[in-house]
Amino acid sequence: MRFVLPKGRLLRGSLEILRKAGYNIDKPGERKLIGRFNGNEVLLARAFDVPVYVEHGVDVGIAGSDVLEERGSDVFVPLELPFGKCRLSLAMPAESVVPLEDMDGYRIATKYERIARSYFSKLGVEVEIIKLSGSVELAPKVGVADAIVDIVETGETLRANGLVEVEKIMDVSAQLLVNRISQKTKFDEINTLILAIKEVVGDGT
Ligand code: PRP
C-alpha cells in the first residue's frame, strides 16, 4: 500500500497511531519525502495536499478535517482519529471586536479560503477573503486584514498577537482517508488497517 502523511503538527500523532496499529513506519528524513517499510511506501506531503494525493490515487492518508473540508476532496473517511484536536475560528484584534453582522466590507485573512467564503456567505455578510499561506495572525497587525479565520489550539498564538477568538467555525480532528478505488481493489489490506487502528483507538465496532 501507499500511505501519505502530513508534514508538520500531525506527523508525530500519525506515526504513533500507525506504529501502535502494527505499521512501524520510520519517520522519513526532513528532505527525503518517500520512505519504505514492509513493502509499503510512505510519502510525506504538505498537510493541505494530503487529501488531494488520496483522491488522486494514494491508497491511505491522514489529514485534519479542516484541510479535508477546505479541499473538498472526494475520499472515503472511515475513521476520526484521537489527535490533532483543535478548532477553526474567526478572530479579531481585541480592541476592535464587532458583531458578525457588522462585518460587511471586512477583509479576512486565512489559509481556508473556501471555508471562510462559505461561512460568511451563509451569514449573508459580504467580506473580502485574503488568501495567505501561513502565519495569518500577522495580517491584522499590519493592517492587511481586519480579522482572520485560522486554527486555534491552545490560543497562545492569538494572545501573543493581540487577537481574540470571536466565533468557532468548526471543530477539527485528524481523520483517516482512503482512496475510493483502493477501498475496493485493496479491500483486505485496507480493512485490516482500519480494524487495527480501531483497536488502538478503542472503537471495536
Ligand atoms: C497553527 C495556526 C496558528 C497556531 C495555533 O499554525 O495557524 O498559527 O497553529 O495554535 P495555538 O492556538 O496553540 O497557538 P501552524 O503552526 O500550523 O503554522 P502556520 O500558521 O504557519 O500554518
Side-chain angles (χ1 to χ4, degrees), residues 166-178:
V166 177
E167 286 281 330
K168 179 175 81 178
I169 297 176
M170 65 183 278
D171 284 308
V172 173
S173 171
Q175 318 261 324
L176 185 70
L177 316 182
V178 175

Side-chain angles (χ1 to χ4, degrees), residues 24-100:
N24 212 338
I25 302 173
D26 285 339
K27 180 178 181 290
E30 276 305 303
R31 301 263 152 213
K32 193 166 177 290
L33 300 176
I34 300 189
R36 269 166 229 288
F37 76 101
N38 298 345
N40 297 301
E41 200 167 60
V42 185
L43 321 182
L44 272 192
R46 296 285 297 267
F48 270 75
D49 295 338
V50 167
V52 180
Y53 279 104
V54 175
E55 176 174 3
H56 293 283
V58 174
D59 300 311
V60 176
I62 292 179
S65 44
D66 54 337
V67 304
L68 181 58
E69 176 78 20
E70 178 64 19
R71 287 299 205 169
S73 304
D74 183 21
V75 297
F76 172 51
V77 184
L79 273 183
E80 179 169 311
L81 303 173
F83 61 93
K85 305 268 185 207
C86 53
R87 53 200 187 272
L88 186 68
S89 293
L90 172 67
M92 288 183 207
E95 68 283 3
S96 53
V97 172
V98 295
L100 294 182

Side-chain angles (χ1 to χ4, degrees), residues 9 111 133-137 150-157:
R9 58 172 61 219
K111 292 195 282 188
S133 303
S135 306
V136 299
E137 296 85 359
D150 200 17
I151 290 298
V152 181
E153 191 176 350
T154 62
E156 215 28 69
T157 311

Side-chain angles (χ1 to χ4, degrees), residues 78-80 191-205:
L79 273 183
E80 179 169 311
N191 207 30
T192 303
L193 171 72
I194 294 172
L195 290 177
I197 295 180
K198 276 190 173 172
E199 189 101 332
V200 173
V201 304
D203 174 3
T205 55

